[in-house]
């Protein structure tokens, strides 16, 4: 398996991969592929943090981490939003998603980011160090149930002095 940055030529395949992957997801609104496209066209997009996993030249997984912030009383704290992440059904439980997340974290650290937020299943994402964002004093401005808003410190205590609301792009 090879992990690399997405390329312009990959975009139609990525769109279909996300669409197909979320058709079998536990939770989906059916628009994840359009959300990824809109994120890609926004100021939140970071090309180095849009990655694909491929096997024998076929794209089998995709992850995107984009800019967001925690808005506090005195300042905004820059952070990342992980999502969407998609893996073809036949490649799930083979480490593709974990490899994409690990590479995403490594790249995020190299770009100077210290934390990542997401909306997802706590039972799955806890293995990567995600905890409820409320444990870090961060609520969500999008009114998503708090148990699904998760945060991970890429650097220990990165969120120790951060309080406020996390804003998720809702294009």
């Amino acid at each position: 398996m090879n992990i690399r940055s997405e390329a312009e030529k990959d975009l139609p395949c990525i769109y279909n991969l996300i669409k197909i992957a979320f058709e079998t997801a536990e939770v989906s609104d059916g628009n994840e592929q359009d959300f990824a496209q809109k994120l890609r066209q926004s100021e939140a997009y970071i090309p180095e943090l849009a990655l694909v996993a491929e096997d024998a030249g076929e794209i089998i997984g995709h992850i995107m981490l984009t800019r967001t912030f925690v808005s506090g009383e005195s300042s905004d704290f820059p952070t990342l939003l992980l999502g969407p992440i998609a893996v073809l059904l036949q490649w799930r439980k083979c480490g593709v998603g974990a490899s994409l997340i690990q590479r995403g974290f490594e790249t995020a650290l190299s770009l100077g980011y210290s934390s990542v937020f997401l909306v997802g299943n706590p039972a799955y994402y806890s293995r990567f160090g995600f905890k409820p964002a409320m444990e870090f004093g961060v609520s969500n401005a999008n009114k998503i149930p708090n148990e699904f808003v998760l945060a991970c410190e890429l650097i220990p205590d990165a969120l120790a002095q951060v309080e406020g609301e996390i804003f998720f792009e809702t294009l």
Side-chain angles (χ1 to χ4, degrees):
M1 178 176 57
N2 179 45
I3 296 177
R4 62 172 174 78
S5 295
E6 68 180 20
E8 184 75 28
K9 67 178 175 58
D10 300 324
L11 298 184
C13 182
I14 291 168
Y15 184 90
N16 288 329
L17 178 140
I18 295 171
K19 183 176 175 27
I20 291 166
F22 276 92
E23 287 174 353
T24 57
E26 283 184 40
V27 179
S28 172
D29 67 9
N31 296 317
E32 289 82 5
Q33 66 281 354
D34 297 320
F35 180 65
Q37 277 192 297
K38 289 177 182 177
L39 282 173
R40 196 176 286 113
Q41 297 165 359
S42 76
E43 291 182 12
Y45 179 65
I46 305 168
E48 299 90 342
L49 290 173
L51 306 170
V52 296
E54 57 185 1
D55 182 72
E58 175 190 8
I59 295 176
I60 59 173
H62 178 263
I63 189 171
M64 184 180 282
L65 292 100
T66 52
R67 286 182 196 93
T68 191
F69 60 92
V70 175
S71 180
E73 282 187 35
S74 58
S75 66
D76 291 341
F77 177 78
T79 188
L80 295 170
L81 169 65
L82 187 160
I85 180 169
V87 176
L88 291 177
L89 184 59
Q90 63 269 32
W91 285 94
R92 292 185 192 159
K93 299 186 181 185
C94 296
V96 175
S99 295
L100 284 165
I101 290 170
Q102 183 175 350
R103 178 68 63 82
F105 282 7
E106 290 167 1
T107 304
L109 274 167
S110 74
L111 294 173
Y113 290 94
S114 61
S115 62
V116 177
F117 287 76
L118 62 76
V119 177
N121 181 343
Y124 177 77
Y125 288 104
S126 64
R127 73 186 76 185
F128 302 105
F130 282 93
K131 300 176 184 174
M134 291 296 290
E135 288 186 20
F136 297 102
V138 178
S139 61
N140 79 86
N142 298 74
K143 308 307 177 210
I144 298 164
N146 286 325
E147 64 266 25
F148 301 111
V149 179
L150 308 174
C152 179
E153 295 176 310
L154 302 179
I155 298 172
D157 297 323
L159 297 171
Q161 304 299 317
V162 177
E163 286 188 19
E165 287 186 310
I166 182 79
F167 287 84
F168 299 119
E169 188 65 56
T170 57
L171 296 167

